């Protein structure tokens, strides 16, 4: 994907890979925690994995990760 930044390519990869399968809540929380550790915003995480931002915030709260 010529012309895309590394960040845009990473967003695309997560979106494409995660949209191909349904994640169990625990798997989704793992992904949310991993992306948050990379300093992604809750909005960006929600868009990348195809869930509501409230779901991302709830997942972070379950893992006791600041939002």
């Amino acid at each position: 994907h010529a012309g895309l930044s590394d960040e845009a390519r990473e967003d695309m990869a997560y979106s494409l890979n995660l949209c191909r399968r349904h994640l169990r809540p625990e798997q989704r929380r793992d992904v949310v925690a991993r992306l948050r550790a990379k300093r992604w915003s809750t909005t960006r995480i929600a868009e990348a994995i195809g869930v509501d931002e409230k779901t991302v915030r709830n997942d972070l709260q379950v893992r006791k990760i600041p939002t």
Side-chain angles (χ1 to χ4, degrees):
H1 300 334
L4 292 178
S5 68
D6 288 342
E7 185 175 306
R9 280 196 293 273
E10 188 174 357
D11 283 353
M12 183 185 296
Y14 271 110
S15 296
L16 291 173
N17 288 324
L18 292 173
C19 288
R20 289 186 188 135
R21 62 186 182 139
H22 295 289
L23 298 175
R24 293 189 313 265
E26 189 62 27
Q27 292 171 314
R28 187 189 65 239
R29 288 182 195 112
D30 289 343
V31 170
V32 167
R34 210 170 321 129
L35 296 177
R36 190 64 173 169
K38 292 182 176 202
R39 304 183 62 81
W40 283 31
S41 70
T42 55
T43 302
R44 184 175 173 201
I45 295 168
E47 290 171 355
I49 66 173
V51 299
D52 190 81
E53 188 176 356
K54 183 176 180 182
T55 301
V56 171
R57 288 192 306 269
N58 289 340
D59 286 349
L60 292 170
Q61 185 176 16
V62 166
R63 291 291 178 92
K64 298 179 178 20
I65 299 170
T67 54

